[in-house]
Amino acid sequence: LTTRKPRTRATLRDVAQDAGVSFSAVSKALRAIPGVSAAMRARVQESAQRLGYRPHAAARGMRGQTFTLGVLISDLRNPFFSEIFAGLDAALASTPYQPFFGIGGADPATENAIVDSMIDRQMDGVILIGPTIQPPDLQQIAKEIPTAVIGVHLPKVGSLDTINNDDELGGRLVVQHLHALGRQRITYLTLDPMPQKDGVTVYRERGYREEMQRLGLDKHIRILGVTSDSEQIRHVALSLLRSSRPPDAIFCWTDYVAFEVIGAARELGLSVPGDVAVVGYDNTPFCRLPQNALTSVDQSGRLLGQQAGRLLLDRIAGRTTSQHFVVTPTLVARASTEVLAPSTDGSEASRRARSRTARAAASVR
Amino acid sequence: LTTRKPRTRATLRDVAQDAGVSFSAVSKALRAIPGVSAAMRARVQESAQRLGYRPHAAARGMRGQTFTLGVLISDLRNPFFSEIFAGLDAALASTPYQPFFGIGGADPATENAIVDSMIDRQMDGVILIGPTIQPPDLQQIAKEIPTAVIGVHLPKVGSLDTINNDDELGGRLVVQHLHALGRQRITYLTLDPMPQKDGVTVYRERGYREEMQRLGLDKHIRILGVTSDSEQIRHVALSLLRSSRPPDAIFCWTDYVAFEVIGAARELGLSVPGDVAVVGYDNTPFCRLPQNALTSVDQSGRLLGQQAGRLLLDRIAGRTTSQHFVVTPTLVARASTEVLAPSTDGSEASRRARSRTARAAASVR
DNA sequence: TTGTAGGCGTTATCAT
DNA sequence: ATGATAACGCCTACAA
């Protein structure tokens, strides 16, 4: 049980008086800056401790850093975010930086306003997760504040860092997996309207499209758009499944869309994967549940978050060249695409697809 | 398509120079404070606009408000939070206040540290959602910063505002519903270790316990603890369902626990609700999906969030007496407790339980 | 109605 | 190694 010590909002001057030294000495001592004796440091720290001194962030902000990072989340619905957070948290542990999260409405205007408010507050850097803000504006932001972007592919842009999984490969993996199981009429459900032309769904679509062509399934290529509204997704799924020539597999741009599709299939009395196979993306926790048993692409959100944190700190520390980090995704097969033998230990009836055990490896372009 | 205007970080002085007036006139003009001519205000605003002036938050923070609110989220897993956010967002729209979110590890030490970092940053107020921070520390926090707490029942505490649904009634509603359907061996799955003795799960448990007694089901009272780890939940659910005398209904403290229970039942080849009925809490979006069709208690997160925002703004504006807001929950019946006739319009096979149509009404104690 | 003088708590620079 | 001093940008008196 921790107990809060009643904090008195002591200032540097208070500590200085208590320790009997000048306040500028305190400033140096507390930041462990060279040019201060060990004895003084000890005395000062003792006083600071006892008085419950904490630096005044606004005052700091006037002179330099605030040790505050802003993280923009566009789509709160997507539980994938919590994995990214875990990685970010790990990257920031044992640093003085504190992340604060702004939640956007998945439209550029709102998101721009939130980023502005982060800049106004003199945050030291921002991480944008799946923003709908367009590349020109992203570059503009990067001019004003160190910026890392997750979920937009901008390998050519030099002013900011990007962190992504290889979405094109992800799309390919899904088609390969389904094709190996004998599926042909594979439909892709993408996000529409698209947040950006360099966004992840576009790359997934490209991987899907090219792999379909490579496997000679050109004529089965079919792409439908869904929003993030669950009723709308359900309606699209229902009409797709009820159409005269329904697909035998549906690849969904993210897991929660796939859950809706499974729901729609069930509503129509169709069997998954008997009548239709379903694949998601992100491998979020609910994929594991037997009622979903959703085959999904794991893009190691934890690693994405961690790298975003690291790259941002690097950049704040002075790096000016840009880095573009790409993680290799893995397909996790579950019963929504093939019926698997129950595993012996009684745990989850799923396993990593053998043929693609490539661990989430990283490459820096 | 919005385009960012290249911001030059102009200061009050820059605007003053540009407009040919003193900088204090600018300060007043921009904040629409009486004592400034309309002509000047117009001139100043024009200049400010053109120069892309934005107030420097740190400098403001040194003198007074930062117009920043801190929101502490303890359990990121719970999608219920996104509803709360929607309400908060509504309450804050058209105010100059910007919320920033800190994410805690569901332990008091981390959460205290995050709140400290909010105080350090001179935020104007904090909203704590389901904190594990204990009441004494909560009161300590409230002494330092205007505070609103969601998800902890502290009707006696005068220094902060609380916003809750009536969890005890929620527990009762569930037992009544199940009893009316002929269930008797109703087990409650609570969160363990408990975040606090005044936390929501404790109140739900009390409602459960008292209603069970009232209905003469004393001997069927059974309470088990689960953590927030999905594997652990699954194991508890499996062993409960496999026990010699399994329950005929399981009431889960929150929806995602219920989803695990449904998964466990399915894993064992049991029918829901045939062999066991399942009820959740929060009525999160995935309850609706046919593969879950989860009966759940709706506590109107949107309203909770909106009230939290309003009460906090009130308090920042000067109110010193405390308010404790309680929302009446509603039970939403779905197929996890009773088999419902498919609705005619083809939409969700569920409906509000007729007998308890009490809309989410509010009362201030 | 407008302008001027402090001061908020830091950090950085410059003397000692 | 230590201490004094000048910013940083804004807001609130108070003076013109």
Side-chain angles (χ1 to χ4, degrees):
Chain A
L1 194 90
T2 10
T3 292
R4 295 180 69 84
K5 55 182 57 168
R7 292 215 327 259
T8 43
R9 291 262 58 127
T11 74
L12 279 185
R13 297 193 132 84
D14 298 327
V15 177
Q17 188 164 35
D18 183 90
V21 296
S22 80
F23 81 89
S24 64
V26 174
S27 174
K28 288 176 206 159
L30 290 181
R31 283 176 301 145
I33 272 177
V36 68
S37 71
M40 158 157 302
R41 176 146 50 232
R43 252 220 334 282
V44 167
Q45 279 176 334
E46 200 278 327
S47 284
Q49 186 88 37
R50 194 153 38 71
L51 268 57
Y53 168 80
R54 313 204 100 220
H56 193 287
R60 275 190 159 169
M62 299 233 21
R63 295 288 316 171
Q65 307 192 72
T66 56
F67 299 102
T68 306
L69 304 182
V71 184
L72 174 72
I73 306 168
S74 48
D75 181 10
L76 196 53
R77 268 207 61 159
N78 205 326
F80 178 50
F81 160 70
S82 71
E83 255 196 273
I84 293 180
F85 169 69
L88 176 63
D89 197 46
L92 263 39
S94 76
T95 79
Y97 290 92
Q98 178 77 34
F100 281 105
F101 298 79
I103 297 173
D107 70 293
T110 308
E111 292 179 7
N112 264 305
I114 292 175
V115 172
D116 278 347
S117 83
M118 290 172 173
I119 295 174
D120 290 346
R121 283 164 179 75
Q122 286 72 50
M123 293 189 177
D124 296 333
V126 293
I127 296 175
L128 313 180
I129 303 178
T132 61
I133 298 173
Q134 297 303 303
D137 283 357
L138 291 175
Q139 289 182 258
Q140 188 64 42
I141 290 169
K143 268 198 259 181
E144 304 187 51
I145 187 170
T147 303
V149 181
I150 297 179
V152 185
H153 291 267
L154 299 168
K156 304 275 175 53
V157 172
S159 52
L160 47 76
D161 301 327
T162 63
I163 300 93
N164 286 288
N165 87 118
D166 186 340
D167 288 290
E168 199 177 307
L169 175 59
R172 288 182 183 279
L173 288 180
V174 171
V175 174
Q176 285 166 12
H177 173 74
L178 291 169
H179 180 256
L181 294 169
R183 309 285 169 156
Q184 299 203 320
R185 301 191 307 282
I186 306 169
T187 294
Y188 177 56
L189 285 192
T190 189
L191 180 61
D192 182 62
M194 308 243 217
Q196 1 212 335
K197 77 175 187 19
D198 299 306
V200 293
T201 63
V202 179
Y203 277 63
R204 285 169 205 173
E205 178 181 320
R206 183 181 308 157
Y208 157 82
R209 199 185 283 277
E210 292 183 355
E211 196 65 20
M212 289 291 278
Q213 286 167 348
R214 202 179 67 78
L215 294 171
L217 300 174
D218 311 51
K219 65 172 177 293
H220 296 303
I221 290 177
R222 190 169 171 194
I223 299 169
L224 268 63
V226 293
T227 67
S228 63
D229 174 65
S230 60
E231 270 306 319
Q232 192 267 355
I233 298 170
R234 176 173 159 270
H235 281 295
V236 170
L238 285 175
S239 69
L240 177 61
L241 291 170
R242 277 197 286 235
S243 64
S244 59
R245 195 162 169 70
D248 58 12
I250 301 177
F251 169 28
C252 306
W253 81 270
T254 194
D255 288 337
Y256 71 73
V257 172
F259 298 146
E260 289 285 347
V261 171
I262 290 174
R266 173 176 276 251
E267 205 172 322
L268 296 175
L270 297 174
S271 150
V272 175
D275 297 304
V276 60
V278 181
V279 182
Y281 212 103
D282 292 346
N283 194 31
T284 44
F286 289 151
C287 292
R288 221 204 71 238
L289 295 175
Q291 60 267 45
N292 295 321
L294 181 64
T295 294
S296 188
V297 177
D298 190 318
Q299 53 172 317
S300 186
R302 205 173 186 292
L303 189 53
L304 294 181
Q306 188 167 32
Q307 273 305 316
R310 284 185 186 157
L311 290 177
L312 187 59
L313 291 183
D314 274 9
R315 188 172 273 277
I316 290 172
R319 173 169 55 77
T320 52
T321 62
S322 73
Q323 295 208 356
H324 299 284
F325 187 89
V326 180
V327 173
T328 301
T330 332
L331 187 140
V332 180
R334 296 199 180 83
S336 72
T337 50
E338 51 175 335
V339 182
L340 297 159
S343 54
T344 48
D345 63 350
S347 83
E348 185 189 10
S350 80
R351 55 172 170 75
R352 297 269 159 173
R354 272 273 202 78
S355 53
R356 14 192 109 78
T357 39
R359 291 206 35 246
S363 71
V364 177
R365 283 187 198 147
Chain B
L1 194 87
T2 9
T3 292
R4 293 179 71 83
K5 56 181 60 165
R7 294 216 326 259
T8 44
R9 292 261 56 125
T11 73
L12 275 187
R13 298 193 131 82
D14 298 327
V15 177
Q17 188 164 31
D18 183 271
V21 297
S22 81
F23 76 87
S24 69
V26 175
S27 174
K28 288 179 208 156
L30 290 181
R31 283 175 303 143
I33 273 178
V36 69
S37 68
M40 161 158 296
R41 173 149 50 235
R43 251 218 337 283
V44 166
Q45 278 176 336
E46 201 278 326
S47 285
Q49 186 90 37
R50 195 153 38 70
L51 268 56
Y53 168 80
R54 313 205 98 218
H56 194 287
R60 269 191 166 168
M62 299 231 23
R63 295 287 315 168
Q65 307 192 71
T66 56
F67 299 102
T68 307
L69 305 181
V71 184
L72 174 73
I73 307 168
S74 48
D75 183 8
L76 196 53
R77 269 206 62 160
N78 205 328
F80 177 51
F81 160 70
S82 71
E83 254 196 275
I84 293 180
F85 169 69
L88 177 62
D89 197 45
L92 262 39
S94 78
T95 80
Y97 290 91
Q98 178 77 34
F100 281 105
F101 298 78
I103 298 174
D107 70 293
T110 308
E111 291 179 7
N112 265 304
I114 292 175
V115 173
D116 278 346
S117 83
M118 290 172 173
I119 296 173
D120 290 345
R121 283 162 180 76
Q122 286 70 51
M123 293 187 176
D124 296 333
V126 294
I127 296 175
L128 312 180
I129 304 179
T132 62
I133 298 174
Q134 297 304 303
D137 283 357
L138 290 175
Q139 289 182 260
Q140 188 63 42
I141 290 169
K143 268 198 256 179
E144 304 188 49
I145 188 171
T147 303
V149 180
I150 298 179
V152 184
H153 291 269
L154 299 168
K156 304 273 176 54
V157 172
S159 53
L160 46 76
D161 300 329
T162 63
I163 301 92
N164 287 287
N165 87 114
D166 187 339
D167 289 289
E168 199 177 306
L169 175 59
R172 288 181 184 280
L173 288 179
V174 172
V175 173
Q176 285 166 11
H177 172 74
L178 291 169
H179 180 258
L181 294 168
R183 309 284 169 158
Q184 299 203 320
R185 298 190 309 283
I186 306 170
T187 295
Y188 177 56
L189 286 191
T190 189
L191 179 61
D192 182 60
M194 308 241 218
Q196 3 213 333
K197 77 175 185 21
D198 300 306
V200 292
T201 62
V202 178
Y203 277 64
R204 285 170 205 171
E205 179 181 320
R206 182 181 309 157
Y208 157 81
R209 200 185 282 276
E210 292 183 355
E211 196 65 20
M212 289 291 277
Q213 286 168 349
R214 202 179 67 78
L215 295 171
L217 300 174
D218 310 53
K219 65 172 177 295
H220 296 302
I221 290 177
R222 191 168 169 194
I223 298 168
L224 267 63
V226 293
T227 67
S228 64
D229 173 65
S230 60
E231 271 306 320
Q232 192 268 352
I233 298 170
R234 176 173 159 269
H235 281 296
V236 169
L238 285 175
S239 68
L240 177 62
L241 291 170
R242 276 198 287 235
S243 63
S244 59
R245 194 161 169 70
D248 58 13
I250 301 177
F251 169 29
C252 305
W253 81 269
T254 195
D255 287 337
Y256 69 73
V257 172
F259 297 146
E260 290 285 347
V261 170
I262 290 173
R266 173 177 275 251
E267 205 173 320
L268 296 176
L270 297 175
S271 150
V272 174
D275 297 303
V276 61
V278 181
V279 181
Y281 212 102
D282 291 347
N283 194 30
T284 46
F286 289 151
C287 290
R288 221 206 70 237
L289 295 175
Q291 60 267 47
N292 295 320
L294 181 65
T295 294
S296 189
V297 177
D298 191 318
Q299 53 171 317
S300 186
R302 203 170 187 296
L303 188 53
L304 294 181
Q306 188 166 31
Q307 272 305 316
R310 283 184 187 159
L311 290 178
L312 186 59
L313 292 183
D314 272 9
R315 189 172 273 277
I316 289 172
R319 173 169 53 76
T320 52
T321 61
S322 73
Q323 296 207 356
H324 299 283
F325 187 88
V326 180
V327 172
T328 301
T330 333
L331 187 140
V332 180
R334 295 198 181 84
S336 72
T337 49
E338 51 175 332
V339 182
L340 298 159
S343 55
T344 48
D345 63 350
S347 83
E348 183 191 9
S350 79
R351 52 168 174 77
R352 297 269 159 173
R354 275 275 203 73
S355 52
R356 18 193 103 78
T357 38
R359 290 209 36 249
S363 70
V364 176
R365 281 187 199 149

